[in-house]
Amino acid sequence: MLLRSLCLLAFLAVLGAQPVGADDPKPKEKGKPNRLAKESSPYLLQHAHNPVDWYPWGAEAFERARKEKKLVFLSIGYSSCHWCHVMERESFSSAEIAKVMNDNFVCIKVDREERPDVDDIYMTALNVTGQQGGWPLTMILTADGKPIFGGTYFPPEDKKVGDDTAPGMKSVLATVIDLDKKSHDELVKQADHVAKLTVDALDRNARGVALGKLDREMLDAAADAYDFDPEHGGTGSKARSFKGTKFPRPPVWQFLLSQSKLKGKDELTKHVHFTLHKMAEGGIYDHLGGGFHRYSTERTWTVPHFEKMLYDNAQLVELYSDAFAATPEPTYKRVVDETLAFIKREMTSPDGAFYSALDADSNHKEGEFYVWTADEIAKVLGTGADAKLLKAVYGVTAPNFEDKFSILRLPKPLAEVAKDQKLTEAELLAMLAPLKAKLFDVRAKRERPFLDTKVICAWNGQMIAGYARAGQVFANKEYVAAAARAADFVLTKMRDKDGRLFRLYAAVPGEKPTARGTAFLDDYAYLVHGLLNLHDATGEAKWLDAAKQLTDTAIKFHGDGDRGGFYFAPSDGEKLFARAKDGYDGVQPSGNSQTTRNLIRLGAKLKDAGYRERAEKTLKGFALTLRTNPGSVPAMALALHEFLATGTGPSAATDPKTDPAKKPRESADVVSAKLTVGEPADGKRTVTLTLTVADGWHVYANPVGSDDLLESQTRVAVFVGGAEAKAEVAYPKGKAITDTANAKYSVYEGSVTITATVPAGKDAAVEVRVKVIACKEGTCLLPSTIRVK
């Protein structure tokens, strides 16, 4: 690039200043409505009375930019983003700043939750220039949508930060306007360069080449990719002494939980459960109302960013349910129950769908709804034993937020506090319950954070998955019913006549809510995950049928048939300057990772090797990332774990040095059957089937003793004269085992005898068909139906 472009990149680094503090002005009076007043997005509506001449994302804005030869000012955020609110109040409500923007730019406002494809591309564009991203995301574009440079939050005026000066909006706009007048051609070259870097970054996973076979070593490397904070749990940088923000990042812990169940992983098991307890004890968890806040702003999980997102809580409900299934600790059940009580109370629509988010702010102050002073607690509980108990349990000894407020947290585990008090944990909780209820009732009268009531398909899928998994683990029919109700809502109201999903269900002010917006890969991926969890919990075929139909639709419109994997946007959607094939598992799994897991589950449930083969192709496409940067793809690593653990169908784990002709592929290769038909008596015959299972292998008993394996248990059908007969089948009791994943079920090994009694005359031909799946040491063969006469 030209020297001038390099100078622009240096300027870009200055633009990317992080928030440095802002004064929240008093509430402003509403101005004249702009174009955003006709939108359904709560975030866009929050800007509907700005003096800025905002456009929603669309062709009209870019056409005007081309016609008037103006640059585009793009601002991306979301409704519960604190710094988005600050920038809206400080800069976008300023008549002085708005005039500069309106005179020199075409201004576009985007809700990242409505258009994650747009957000992903421009966030990537910011990242490829060496900057850390965040929201609000501010980008300057050419009239054809290519990114020139950008940053995150800008205060209205320049601000001193130590020895440096962070540029304010006025300076940023003035600099861009001056560059455009003096060096417009250089800006265009800069945009072409950043666009190329962005396309390359978005395409890097698609160009990945599998390095060797998909194997267990990749999973071990992925589990070793994280530095664990030994004092406070979570992951971070050991070199930085784990300082800085901490996100729960459920995909990491779901993967690590799966690996912690394996033999010889005691240290990993300790890290996983230590972290889950620390998160549940910290201020990131709402100890009065249930549910988790967005993330911790510091190492100890004490001070959160106070917004509550549906997708965080959905994933954490599933994670804590899975953790309880592995290690049934009371804390995990309490966290799930309290979080789902919060979801039911505050984030569930009358129709059973789930709302998107609760804001961090009340009265323009972050966290005001949730924090307490000692005096406020005294007014509610007095100063006697009750107040002392609650303050001791929840660490209200000195302010831990803004030097005057306390965020409730557990400085010691409840079990330890109970022991100190010579109580059981249940007794301590019973004593705390009425005290917490009093505080909760007082808190409920405060000004509430803004509730974003739009229904997002993808996030509803994750909450459906969480509810269904909790219902299955805790045998709670109400949880399963809530998942089913939400699934019915999405499948009924958020699909078009061709069965394709919509992204949103939301209302323009003054109108009824409707389904709208193109669905993206994550909408299909997360919803299918939820439906598969519902099928696990209920066994109802309709959920499996819907999961199959939606997966087939995703394959058709998002799949990359040549290289494997899936594009985020559909093939017939809006054409942006780049098309992302997302692969990073951040606070949510990527669409590719979740879809791969879905394909593996569908292949197993439907006995369809085609889904498994597509999953394998996607895993191979991401194999380079799995080997070189496994910490960025924990959900894909979990998919690989599940792929290797199920082991049915073609597998890249097959050692090419062995003779494939001598390697068993189907269950019939290691299971044989012999039939003996008894003489008829009183119009009936007894048939005896003897199965012989090769050494080291087993087939699943009937009953298998595990709901997850009902599809895999051995089944016998008897045919008399070519038609299936009503048979009384007597299956022997199987051998009870607990495998390396801590799952319990029953199997048949060696020789096993199954008898059946059927109506049959002397000359009627008898045939027995037995369906088996043979497995050993985490590897299963293709299912076989063995016929014997």
Side-chain angles (χ1 to χ4, degrees), residues 351-433:
D351 293 319
F354 304 114
Y355 299 138
S356 296
L358 271 170
D359 208 331
D361 297 10
S362 298
N363 289 317
H364 305 303
K365 296 176 183 177
E366 184 172 14
E368 182 182 76
F369 183 76
Y370 300 100
V371 299
W372 297 86
T373 65
D375 288 343
E376 287 173 333
I377 292 176
K379 285 180 182 179
V380 180
L381 300 180
T383 58
D386 285 351
K388 290 178 180 177
L389 175 65
L390 183 129
K391 290 165 73 173
V393 171
Y394 292 106
V396 185
T397 54
N400 56 20
F401 181 62
E402 294 184 346
D403 298 324
K404 55 183 176 180
F405 297 107
S406 288
I407 300 166
L408 301 187
R409 61 184 298 270
L410 292 171
K412 293 171 64 175
L414 280 174
E416 289 186 24
V417 178
K419 187 176 180 181
D420 293 342
Q421 300 282 334
K422 295 183 172 51
L423 299 168
T424 66
E425 188 172 341
E427 289 171 338
L428 177 60
L429 285 169
M431 292 178 64
L432 290 169

Side-chain angles (χ1 to χ4, degrees), residues 596-676:
T596 304
R597 294 187 65 203
N598 295 343
L599 289 167
I600 294 165
R601 293 174 75 184
L602 277 172
K605 286 175 177 286
L606 298 170
K607 307 299 182 291
D608 187 333
Y611 290 114
R612 183 174 173 82
E613 289 167 3
R614 190 173 286 274
E616 181 177 28
K617 193 171 185 179
T618 304
L619 284 166
K620 287 182 176 179
F622 284 87
L624 180 61
T625 306
L626 278 165
R627 287 196 180 276
T628 59
N629 188 19
S632 70
V633 285
M636 189 62 77
L638 178 57
L640 176 58
H641 165 77
E642 292 166 343
F643 179 81
L644 296 175
T646 52
T648 56
S651 170
T654 300
D655 189 345
K657 296 179 182 179
T658 64
D659 181 358
K662 296 180 180 179
K663 202 171 182 69
R665 186 171 183 270
E666 297 186 2
S667 296
D669 294 336
V670 296
V671 181
S672 61
K674 181 180 179 181
L675 179 65
T676 302

Side-chain angles (χ1 to χ4, degrees), residues 84-140:
C84 299
H85 301 332
V86 173
M87 198 164 175
E88 186 272 330
R89 292 192 293 269
E90 289 181 333
S91 293
F92 301 145
S93 296
S94 163
E96 179 186 1
I97 291 175
K99 186 176 190 313
V100 176
M101 293 173 66
N102 295 339
D103 289 348
N104 296 278
F105 301 88
V106 173
C107 304
I108 299 177
K109 176 64 69 173
V110 170
D111 182 340
R112 69 174 295 263
E113 296 169 359
E114 284 195 347
R115 292 302 301 265
D117 57 332
V118 173
D119 178 64
D120 187 30
I121 285 173
Y122 290 107
M123 186 61 73
T124 303
L126 185 69
N127 294 155
V128 298
T129 59
Q131 293 196 71
Q132 181 179 341
W135 296 277
L137 173 60
T138 305
M139 295 295 293
I140 305 298

